[in-house]
Amino acid sequence: MTLKHVLLEKEDGIAVIRFHRPEALNALNSQVLEDIAAAVENVAADEGVRVVIFTGEGKSFISGADIHEMDNKTGLGIIDYSRKGAALFRRIETMTKPTIAAVNGYAFGGGFEFVLCTDIRIAHEKASFRLPEVSLGIVPGFNGTQRLPKCIGMPRAKELIFTGRRIFAREAYDMGILNRVTSPESFWEEVMAEANLIADNSASAISLVKAAMTAGEDVSIDVGKDIELGYMTACFGTPDQIEGFNSFKEKRKAVFRNICV
């Protein structure tokens, strides 16, 4: 697959989608969004892919939306652009495969919003985050006003969005935005270790767990418990469930990577 602003690599069940627009610090424009969407659909359809990592090239994860492109749009054009990004982010959030944001640098504006739509977030300590939209006289357009309060609570989310201030990885971790902060030197090693740990487990079970958690996020526990029951029941009779139970009875490690989802 040849894409202008995305590099896609696959190896041993792990896909890496790397943002590649160095002249603009990986800023999001319509073409970048289309390239990411194409890469996402590619890995979503690939039964051999068990984990998807998103990261950036250079010193930036995603530096934000492309102001130069936005500056030339009318109100209706902005609606179309925002909906395109929001739909992509929701697709990533709800895709059956687990996702990891490997935040290698600046995650500003749309980059911060991108991080919030992934399952697991790992950053090195020099990475930084910011929603600067109010300093530009606009509102976040890729659902940052919706996801950030759910992640860290309304008061903290309002502070970050109202002030537009920049935070570094340690503070983002303390707020609950990140799962882990690493040194720059061990960053990629730790990202890959996490991806391999996930890839060793049952891909079908993880996809059902993710679906249950997504469906149950905004419902009562009484509704959520029945959602979980349905997905748990669906596991039984699958090749992964059979392998998992057999490995337990035979006192050996389960081998899931050779089983297609």
Side-chain angles (χ1 to χ4, degrees):
M1 168 175 279
T2 302
L3 300 168
K4 184 177 181 181
H5 296 304
V6 165
L7 303 176
L8 174 58
E9 307 157 12
K10 300 177 188 176
E11 185 175 354
D12 197 21
I14 298 169
V16 179
I17 295 176
R18 195 179 302 272
F19 314 124
H20 175 65
R21 194 184 174 210
E23 73 279 6
L25 296 174
N26 303 329
L28 297 173
N29 61 14
S30 295
Q31 184 61 59
V32 176
L33 292 173
E34 289 173 10
D35 285 359
I36 296 171
V40 166
E41 293 309 319
N42 178 280
V43 299
D46 188 338
E47 291 186 345
V49 172
R50 306 173 73 84
V51 184
V52 183
I53 300 171
F54 295 97
T55 194
E57 277 209 326
K59 62 182 180 181
S60 181
F61 180 76
I62 294 171
S63 62
D66 191 322
I67 297 297
H68 299 292
E69 180 179 13
M70 295 173 69
D71 190 40
N72 295 321
K73 291 187 181 297
T74 64
L76 290 176
I78 286 294
I79 288 173
D80 180 67
Y81 174 70
S82 180
R83 283 179 172 167
K84 179 183 292 186
L88 170 60
F89 287 17
R90 183 60 174 162
R91 173 72 174 105
I92 292 166
E93 188 171 45
T94 59
M95 72 186 297
T96 57
K97 301 178 191 292
T99 60
I100 299 174
V103 189
N104 58 297
Y106 307 131
F108 295 167
F112 192 173
E113 292 172 297
F114 192 105
V115 171
L116 294 172
C117 78
T118 59
D119 297 320
I120 295 171
R121 302 105 183 229
I122 301 172
H124 67 58
E125 57 197 13
K126 294 183 179 179
S128 58
F129 305 79
R130 187 185 179 206
L131 289 174
E133 284 82 359
V134 296
S135 69
L136 300 168
I138 60 174
V139 172
F142 295 152
N143 303 141
T145 62
Q146 305 305 302
R147 288 193 179 93
L148 188 59
K150 290 181 179 180
C151 181
I152 64 174
M154 190 64 77
R156 279 181 164 176
K158 284 181 176 178
E159 181 205 352
L160 289 186
I161 295 173
F162 290 0
T163 63
R165 73 179 179 89
R166 180 182 181 185
I167 60 172
F168 284 86
R170 292 291 176 190
E171 185 174 1
Y173 173 81
D174 289 342
M175 287 184 172
I177 295 165
L178 298 175
N179 294 79
R180 190 177 314 156
V181 178
T182 78
S183 69
E185 294 75 21
S186 67
F187 170 64
W188 195 248
E189 180 182 351
E190 293 196 41
V191 169
M192 291 303 296
E194 182 84 355
N196 277 294
L197 191 62
I198 295 168
D200 279 341
N201 287 320
S202 163
S204 61
I206 289 174
S207 70
L208 294 174
V209 165
K210 181 172 177 177
M213 295 175 77
T214 300
E217 183 177 14
D218 295 318
V219 302
S220 71
I221 187 64
D222 289 320
V223 174
K225 65 182 177 60
D226 289 334
I227 292 172
E228 180 183 88
L229 178 61
Y231 282 115
M232 188 269 285
T233 304
C235 292
F236 282 79
T238 64
D240 277 6
Q241 179 266 316
I242 294 168
E243 165 62 12
F245 276 45
N246 284 341
S247 68
F248 179 82
K249 291 183 287 186
E250 295 164 10
K251 296 181 171 56
R252 62 174 174 82
K253 180 178 173 60
V255 179
F256 294 117
R257 288 210 196 199
N258 62 350
I259 301 175
C260 289
V261 180

